[in-house]
C-alpha cells in the first residue's frame, strides 16, 4: 500500500532531549535569560525553533532569530552529538529498506544537521532522501519540508506515502499535503494530539510501528 515512508527525526528516530535542552540553555544564558526551568524546555522538541522561542518564551521575532543563531552555535559542535537512537529503530529502518520501502527523512531540523546525525548512526545508505529545514529559514515548517521532499522525489501518487512522527506538527504537515500518517507514542507527543489532528494510525512502540507497516 505504501511505497514511501517519511520519517520525522527528533522523537521518532533519535531521542534528542539532552542536546536540544543544552543548546537552548546555552542560547538563553548568552541572552541573559536566567529564569527558565530546563524541564519546561522539552516542548521545544518538534516545532520549528523560532516558533518555540516566540510562543513558549514570548520572544519577539528578532529576539527569536538571535536565540536560534546562538542555539546553533552550541548545537553544531556539541548538541548534535547529545542524542541516541530509540531502541530497535535502526533495525526497523534497515529491515524496511531491505524490503524495498523508500525511506525518507522529513524533519524541521536543518538539513545539514540531519544528514550528520543519520551518518553518525551509519543509516545514510538506507535513506532515499534527506529533507530538512533550510538554514536561511525559507523552509522550516513541517508541511513545507514534506512538500519539498515530495517535489524532490517527483511523487505524484500520494496514496503511496505515509508520514511517521511523534508530534502534532507531523500529523498537521501530513494532512496539509494530503498524506496518511502514523503517530508514535514513544516520543514526545501524546494520544490526545494525534486524535485531535486525525492521525491515520497511532502506535505505542517501535515494534508496533514495524508490525503496522509490514501489515499493509
Amino acid at each position: 500500500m505504501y511505497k514511501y515512508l517519511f520519517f520525522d527525526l527528533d522523537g521518532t528516530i533519535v531521542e534528542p532531549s539532552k542536546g536540544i535542552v543544552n543548546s537552548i540553555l546555552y542560547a538563553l544564558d548568552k541572552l541573559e535569560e536566567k529564569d527558565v526551568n530546563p524541564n519546561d524546555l522539552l516542548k521545544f522538541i518538534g516545532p520549528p525553533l523560532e516558533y518555540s522561542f516566540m510562543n513558549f518564551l514570548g520572544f519577539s521575532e528578532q529576539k527569536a532569530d538571535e536565540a536560534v543563531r546562538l542555539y546553533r552555535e552550541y548545537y553544531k559542535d556539541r548538541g548534535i552529538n547529545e542524542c541516541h537512537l530509540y531502541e530497535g529503530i535502526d533495525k526497523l529502518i534497515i529491515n524496511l529498506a531491505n524490503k524495498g520501502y523508500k525511506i525518507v527523512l522529513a524533519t524541521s531540523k536543518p538539513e545539514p544537521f540531519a544528514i550528520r546525525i543519520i551518518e553518525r548512526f551509519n543509516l545514510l545508505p538506507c535513506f532515499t532522501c534527506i529533507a530538512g529545514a533550510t538554514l536561511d529559514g525559507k523552509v522550516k515548517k513541517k508541511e513545507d519540508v514534506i512538500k519539498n521532499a515530495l517535489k524532490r522525489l517527483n511523487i505524484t501518487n500520494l496514496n503511496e506515502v505515509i508520514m511517521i512522527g511523534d508530534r502534532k506538527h507531523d500529523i498537521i504537515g501530513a494532512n496539509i499535503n494530503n498524506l496518511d500518517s502514523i503517530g508514535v507514542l514513544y516520543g514526545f507527543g501524546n494520544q490526545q494530539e494525534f486524535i485531535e489532528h486525525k492521525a491515520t494510525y497511532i502506535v505505542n512502540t517501535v515494534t508496533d510501528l514495524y508490525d503496522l507497516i509490514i501489515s499493509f
Side-chain angles (χ1 to χ4, degrees), residues 6 9 24-25 68-69 82 148 151 165 169 172 189 193 204:
F6 281 35
L9 180 59
I24 297 167
L25 290 173
V68 170
R69 185 190 70 78
E82 295 174 332
N148 184 37
K151 182 178 180 180
H169 309 86
I172 293 169
E193 66 185 280
N204 288 299

Side-chain angles (χ1 to χ4, degrees), residues 28-173:
L28 295 179
D29 182 65
K30 292 290 185 180
L31 293 170
E32 298 185 349
E33 294 279 347
K34 306 293 186 182
D35 190 24
V36 177
N37 185 340
N39 293 327
D40 293 335
L41 299 178
L42 292 178
K43 56 191 173 186
F44 273 68
I45 301 173
L49 279 171
E50 293 90 343
Y51 169 94
S52 295
F53 279 115
M54 288 190 287
N55 285 271
F56 300 144
L57 296 179
F59 285 11
S60 66
E61 184 175 351
Q62 183 178 2
K63 189 172 181 179
D65 287 343
E66 177 64 6
V68 170
R69 185 190 70 78
L70 291 167
Y71 171 101
R72 290 175 178 166
E73 201 170 80
Y74 179 95
Y75 188 84
K76 66 184 177 64
D77 296 319
R78 297 172 62 184
I80 195 170
N81 295 316
E82 295 174 332
C83 68
H84 62 268
L85 292 173
Y86 284 104
E87 185 175 356
I89 197 70
D90 50 344
K91 293 179 181 178
L92 176 146
I93 290 170
I94 291 168
N95 288 340
L96 292 174
N98 287 339
K99 288 180 178 293
Y101 289 96
K102 303 296 183 183
I103 312 296
V104 177
L105 193 70
T107 174
S108 294
K109 187 181 293 298
E111 194 168 302
F113 295 164
I115 292 171
R116 284 174 58 190
I117 290 170
I118 295 300
E119 282 181 327
R120 177 185 163 208
F121 293 113
N122 300 313
L123 290 173
L124 196 58
C126 297
F127 283 82
T128 300
C129 176
I130 304 282
T134 55
L135 289 169
D136 62 10
K138 291 181 179 179
V139 176
K140 56 185 176 182
K141 292 183 178 180
K142 183 55 66 80
E143 56 262 35
D144 295 331
V145 172
I146 294 172
K147 182 179 180 180
N148 184 37
L150 293 169
K151 182 178 180 180
R152 284 161 64 174
L153 292 166
N154 296 311
I155 297 173
T156 55
N157 184 358
L158 299 180
N159 292 324
E160 293 182 338
V161 185
I162 193 163
M163 178 70 210
I164 303 159
D166 73 307
R167 294 302 312 276
K168 65 181 180 181
H169 309 86
D170 302 301
I171 310 306
I172 293 169

